[in-house]
Amino acid sequence: MRGTIIVAALALSACGADERRSEGAATQAEIENSAATPLPAPVPPRAPSPTSTPTPTATATATLGANHYLGRWIGVEGMYLNVTEPAQGEVKLEMQYDLDNKGTYTGTITPEGIRFQRGGETLLLRPSDGDATGLKWLAGKKDCLTVKPSEGYCRD
């Protein structure tokens, strides 16, 4: 009886091995056939447009920028930024910039953004998107200002 079980087990395993070999051969044939199929030719990159873009002057950028920056910007965890009082390239910044600190600062509109002093450090509010702030809660937003990594404010 014991010998019969062993013979039956060997016979069944041999059937499975033949089946696995035929599956492996079929898979190998598919791989070889797919390698023989030519790939489509790559598309060459487009050349940049030859039209020139006018360079805005600092005054024009500052004037347009001041209007863009005005209003309330929302950060994370209760942080906010209010930009008010545009006067000759300067704005007032009222901000809660971390859980424990808030203040009012005078900012200067520059072509790069709004430059201001906080805690003895010169900082720049740069136009960006939510991904550039490094804050997952602002990710995906399009109209934002970034001070530094992990400090940013956006509008919906």
Side-chain angles (χ1 to χ4, degrees):
M1 171 111 172
R2 189 171 181 202
T4 306
I5 294 174
I6 292 173
V7 171
L10 288 174
L12 288 174
S13 67
C15 292
D18 287 339
E19 194 174 296
R20 283 192 299 273
R21 271 190 228 109
S22 65
E23 285 176 8
T27 302
Q28 185 63 35
E30 286 178 26
I31 292 170
E32 289 170 3
N33 288 340
S34 69
T37 305
L39 296 174
V43 178
R46 292 185 186 196
S49 174
T51 59
S52 65
T53 305
T55 305
T57 64
T59 307
T61 305
T63 303
L64 293 173
N67 291 331
H68 174 73
Y69 297 127
L70 293 178
R72 186 168 181 87
W73 301 76
I74 305 298
V76 298
E77 297 180 358
M79 289 2 135
Y80 65 88
L81 166 67
N82 286 325
V83 181
T84 57
E85 298 180 13
Q88 298 177 345
E90 290 189 347
V91 290
K92 179 178 152 188
L93 306 172
E94 177 194 346
M95 56 183 14
Q96 174 88 33
Y97 55 93
D98 66 25
L99 292 174
D100 301 319
N101 295 294
K102 68 180 183 177
T104 303
Y105 309 94
T106 300
T108 304
I109 304 293
T110 69
E112 297 84 24
I114 301 175
R115 190 170 310 282
F116 68 102
Q117 292 273 330
R118 183 175 73 195
E121 184 180 6
T122 300
L123 300 169
L124 181 66
L125 278 161
R126 296 178 190 271
S128 66
D129 60 16
D131 296 335
T133 67
L135 299 162
K136 69 179 181 180
W137 298 275
L138 300 179
K141 298 204 180 261
K142 302 295 179 205
D143 191 12
C144 301
L145 297 173
T146 301
V147 178
K148 54 187 175 182
S150 298
E151 183 184 352
Y153 310 89
C154 296
R155 292 196 250 217
D156 289 331

